[in-house]
Amino acid sequence: MSYAYYPGCSLHSTAEEYDKSFRKVCSGLGIELDEVRNWICCGSSPAHATSHLLSIALPVHNLSLVEKSGRDEVVVPCAACFSRFKFALYEVERDVELSRKVNEVVGCDFGGKVNVIHPLEILSAKTAIARAKVVRDLSFIKAVCYYGCLLTRPPEVMKFDSCEYPMSMDNVLRSVGVNTLDWSYKTECCGASLALSETGIVVKLVGDILAEAKRAGANAVAVACPLCHANLDTRQAEAEALKGEKFGIPVFYFTELIGLALGYGQKELGLDKHIVSVEPYLNSLHGGV
Amino acid sequence: MSEINISYNPSFSPFALALSRESRQDVNACFQCRKCAAGCPVAFAMDLTPTQIIHAARLGLEDVVLSSKTIWLCASCQTCTTRCPQDVDIARVMDAARIIAMRRGVKPSVKSVKTFFYTAVKNIKRFGRMYELGLIMGLKLKSGEFTKDMELGMEMFRKGKIKLVPSFKGMRDTRRIYRAVKKEESR
């Protein structure tokens, strides 16, 4: 099985471990990823907050690159890119005039025949194979799955899982032996890019999310979004100071946990890149991973 | 979230008309149920709730909307859009309000957010892909907060999470697309 792959800016920088671990898991499960050549940024929130046309044009350029390469499916791991790609498809499909304008400014003839999928969708279909390949016992991990905002909302656009209580990440992780817990903050917002402008808001939201994770009895948080990861991981110390409470909860990309279960090493999966260190955690809880 | 096309409607105030044109959303459909305000994760930091913003827009209170903190603090989490019983894409209305505020040169109530959007969107144009170090330095120059997050930034740099050199891949395409968008929008 082979897919066009759009990593997006974060997976080449702040979320390199998401890229590394996703590639490892795919190679372990016989899934081939073919990175889109010369892809550009999806525009993310800076584009849709400043120009609606630009916010649709940037994803459409990338989608047209996929279409031109003869593929009809592209896998997009970053929740923000995933959202912008889905919004672009949704809008050009419904608005002929916008579609014409976008094709004109991009200089392409995008036919809309590209399916945008998230790694969780691919891996949800591979749980039986993944389960058979598990070589490491991770049953000591009690994770809460944090889906964040953009993977599932708004449902008419994203058409992915349930927007109030999603389960896809829970099911994938359970299939490789990770315990996942019931909790009510699955789709709360971490404040996203406000981290770089109004940091205090993000620290407060991160504190609320981690406090709830702790109350639920979790010893790990699993995420599928680079911005969720960055905020919960890099702002954890500030959130602890604000709440006057020690969390010490490592934040994993769900692909890192699958990778660990499949037997890959910490470094191969990029686990050394976390700010809340996972090494002592994995060592102390499991007599060494 | 259904799109509408409004040309003229006497029941719209001039500002509601402008906002509805930019957002393609019918703000007059709002019946003030306050679900958007109840679910908003950032409401605690806003001066007006999203519900109040929509109400002010309907009344034509342009300055109340455009000089609010709310339109800048909206994190685009899509909770309001998802839950609105009247199918108004409120997050899109917030985007439209920001765009109108910038176009009309209204002084932003939360300058840091406007600076972030502005700096980031230029960064993408220049490099094709987001160049984080350039973005961070740009924000520091604009805000004057040189020591903010310095320790965290250094640690991320040591862990290879922040790259020294930008990629430059696709920069020709982004520059071309930005130019064409600007031309189309000035029509």
Side-chain angles (χ1 to χ4, degrees):
Chain A
M1 201 177 284
S2 157
Y3 296 93
Y5 176 46
Y6 176 87
C9 308
S10 294
L11 275 82
H12 274 205
S13 56
T14 52
E16 214 172 55
E17 62 269 43
Y18 194 8
D19 180 67
K20 270 187 162 180
S21 55
F22 180 47
R23 285 178 189 272
K24 277 280 171 235
V25 167
C26 283
S27 77
L29 298 177
I31 301 162
E32 219 175 277
L33 298 175
D34 180 12
E35 186 166 332
V36 178
R37 264 194 222 166
N38 292 321
W39 58 266
I40 57 171
C41 176
C42 74
S44 195
S45 52
H48 71 69
T50 51
S51 160
H52 181 252
L53 182 59
L54 182 68
S55 78
I56 304 297
L58 294 172
V60 164
H61 175 76
N62 291 305
L63 287 165
S64 80
L65 293 179
V66 175
E67 203 175 53
K68 271 185 217 150
S69 72
R71 290 183 180 270
D72 57 6
E73 265 184 328
V74 58
V75 52
V76 184
C78 167
C81 305
F82 183 58
S83 161
R84 294 319 306 165
F85 276 49
K86 288 265 195 172
F87 260 103
L89 281 178
Y90 182 85
E91 295 208 14
V92 296
E93 193 189 316
R94 270 159 196 77
D95 188 337
V96 184
E97 175 59 15
L98 176 70
S99 170
R100 186 196 60 75
K101 263 193 212 170
V102 167
N103 274 329
E104 197 181 296
V105 298
V106 173
C108 70
D109 187 20
F110 178 57
K113 297 273 180 295
V114 177
N115 194 15
V116 175
I117 49 175
H118 191 268
L120 276 172
E121 292 174 84
I122 301 179
L123 298 173
S124 291
K126 291 266 181 189
T127 51
I129 302 167
R131 186 180 290 122
K133 293 202 171 198
V134 170
V135 295
R136 195 179 270 147
D137 176 22
L138 294 181
S139 59
F140 64 92
I141 298 180
K142 287 181 283 178
V144 283
C145 293
Y146 178 63
Y147 297 76
C149 309
L150 299 176
L151 274 184
T152 62
R153 282 197 299 259
E156 319 68 317
V157 177
M158 302 314 289
K159 300 183 184 76
F160 173 71
D161 210 334
S162 149
C163 65
E164 297 286 359
Y165 201 81
M167 279 301 291
S168 52
M169 201 190 317
D170 291 75
N171 291 333
V172 167
L173 289 179
R174 284 174 189 177
S175 77
V176 294
V178 174
N179 296 303
T180 71
L181 307 173
D182 179 38
W183 73 318
S184 57
Y185 272 45
K186 284 187 172 187
T187 58
E188 280 300 315
C189 175
C190 69
S193 67
L194 289 172
L196 287 173
S197 50
E198 292 299 301
T199 315
I201 292 177
V202 168
V203 172
K204 191 254 179 200
L205 295 173
V206 165
D208 291 346
I209 292 161
L210 291 170
E212 189 59 28
K214 200 174 151 191
R215 257 196 295 279
N219 58 16
V221 179
V223 299
C225 167
L227 217 47
C228 296
H229 188 278
N231 286 346
L232 292 175
D233 186 42
T234 68
R235 301 291 171 185
Q236 193 163 141
E238 286 164 84
E240 285 173 340
L242 178 76
K243 291 264 168 186
E245 185 180 353
K246 178 82 185 150
F247 299 126
I249 301 177
V251 185
F252 293 93
Y253 288 103
F254 76 100
T255 45
E256 292 174 328
L257 292 174
I258 302 171
L260 281 173
L262 298 181
Y264 292 109
Q266 293 190 33
K267 238 185 153 155
E268 282 179 289
L269 297 167
L271 288 166
D272 53 325
K273 290 182 175 288
H274 292 200
I275 300 295
V276 177
S277 174
V278 299
E279 203 179 342
Y281 167 82
L282 291 174
N283 293 343
S284 70
L285 281 168
H286 196 231
V289 158
Chain B
M1 30 167 305
S2 46
E3 294 211 334
I4 53 153
N5 211 341
I6 299 161
S7 47
Y8 174 73
N9 186 329
S11 68
F12 278 72
S13 68
F15 181 63
L17 194 62
L19 196 58
S20 291
R21 272 195 189 137
E22 181 63 47
S23 65
R24 307 288 295 270
Q25 298 299 308
D26 181 359
V27 291
N28 269 355
C30 170
F31 53 41
Q32 295 284 299
C33 74
R34 303 182 203 173
K35 259 188 130 168
C36 51
C40 178
V42 198
F44 74 93
M46 290 171 170
D47 46 0
L48 295 168
T49 64
T51 322
Q52 287 172 319
I53 289 288
I54 303 288
H55 192 50
R58 295 182 61 192
L59 295 172
L61 302 174
E62 179 182 328
D63 53 338
V64 170
V65 175
L66 299 186
S67 62
S68 70
K69 283 186 180 179
T70 304
I71 62 169
W72 298 104
L73 292 181
C74 166
S76 306
C77 77
Q78 310 289 334
T79 305
C80 50
T81 296
T82 298
R83 293 180 182 168
C84 178
Q86 285 293 80
D87 243 6
V88 179
D89 182 349
I90 300 147
R92 174 88 190 266
V93 173
M94 295 296 171
D95 271 343
R98 297 192 261 239
I99 290 168
I100 293 173
M102 282 188 254
R103 198 183 290 146
R104 298 187 183 175
V106 178
K107 194 165 166 262
S109 280
V110 191
K111 192 167 166 254
S112 58
V113 178
K114 191 201 155 185
T115 305
F116 166 74
F117 288 142
Y118 189 73
T119 313
V121 88
K122 275 215 300 208
N123 185 294
I124 297 164
K125 177 188 179 185
R126 190 168 298 148
F127 299 109
R129 297 176 185 175
M130 186 76 84
Y131 171 44
E132 275 91 356
L133 187 62
L135 175 64
I136 295 164
M137 296 317 283
L139 289 173
K140 286 195 177 302
L141 282 174
K142 287 231 169 71
S143 67
E145 292 176 317
F146 292 101
T147 52
K148 183 174 176 254
D149 289 337
M150 207 47 140
E151 217 171 299
L152 177 62
M154 285 310 291
E155 195 171 352
M156 291 176 76
F157 185 71
R158 271 197 299 276
K159 289 182 184 267
K161 289 194 145 213
I162 297 175
K163 301 274 178 287
L164 200 57
V165 187
S167 93
F168 297 115
K169 272 216 174 101
M171 55 183 263
R172 273 210 196 107
D173 290 318
T174 45
R175 288 177 191 205
R176 180 175 54 77
I177 293 168
Y178 272 62
R179 264 199 308 274
V181 165
K182 203 170 174 192
K183 200 171 143 201
E184 175 63 41
E185 284 178 339
S186 63
R187 261 186 209 173

